[in-house]
Amino acid sequence: MKPQRFALTPGEPAGIGPDLCLLLAAHRQPHPLIAITSRDLLLERATQLGVAVTLLAVDPDALPDQPADAGSLYVWDTPLGAPVQAGVLDRANAAFVLETLTRAGQGCLDGRFAGMITAPVHKGVINEAGIGFSGHTEFLAELTHTEQVVMMLATHGLRVALVTTHLPLRAVADAITEERLERVTRILHSDLKDKFGIARPRILVCGLNPHAGEGGHLGREEIEIIEPTLERLRSEGMDLRGPLPADTLFTPKYLEHCDAVLAMYHDQGLPVLKYKGFGAALNVTLGLPIIRTSVDHGTALDLAGTGKIDTGSLKVALDTAYQMAETRI
């Protein structure tokens, strides 16, 4: 069986995404990996970093079937809107960033790529260019015509999915509805089976309130919303435990017997995961008809072009995308 191809988007051109691509090229990948970006950008950044790399132009209608050799990188050349200075944002390149994502996402839908791996974008500069953009997840959901997606971060020994993502804390409780919780739980359960090869996923579910509501004395969301939803899904055969107090759920006693944790909001689950695995963690978008993984960090504009970066998160994102694709075969 020939290797499956994967797309790599470097994200914000003034950030560390191009640097990550170039440093990654030092090692031969197990599958053909195509960077969708500007060839000129990579050449300029390679000179700045003092990195020796051979950039191999590809025809999008005749993509390579073999991995590039160490020291080489396949590039689907995508023109910039303006020259790039490392560390300096330019709204003129906002459309370029979205074009790289479109090429990668559409390539996954068309079957040219088995999955896509994304480096960080800068949401602010894209919005300043007059383009409504709230993030990779929402952009790819619209591109693939997906109504509901789920954000999951993972590192060695821990996966955390979120019922709500980027909401003000005062809005979280109102967003925890039976409908949303059921949709998110179903997507998490399905993708753990289909994309991670877990036959019977074991999922721990956090309560919303301290002590999971303390029997209703610290909030009634557990009693009125969370528990009835979980009980209904358990009746279908899902292995769901909770709602559990979040302050004790993230301990070996519970984690060694689960495949994923479902947290109610962003800062309930992600601080624990990032403490455990920052620099070796990744972001996975669940619910899409395609495989998409990403690094767990930002654009790091101050480090762009310095060579003082760690490729650990990107390597984990790549390895996970490869494994997910093999599971789906």
Side-chain angles (χ1 to χ4, degrees), residues 182 186 189 200 230-238:
E182 180 174 336
R186 287 189 185 280
H189 185 267
R200 182 170 168 75
L230 299 185
E231 189 59 35
R232 186 166 60 252
L233 296 174
R234 288 190 196 103
S235 71
E236 299 179 12
M238 292 190 194

Side-chain angles (χ1 to χ4, degrees), residues 307-321:
K308 300 176 182 179
I309 62 172
D310 186 344
T311 59
S313 181
L314 180 59
K315 290 177 179 176
V316 174
L318 282 164
D319 289 343
T320 301

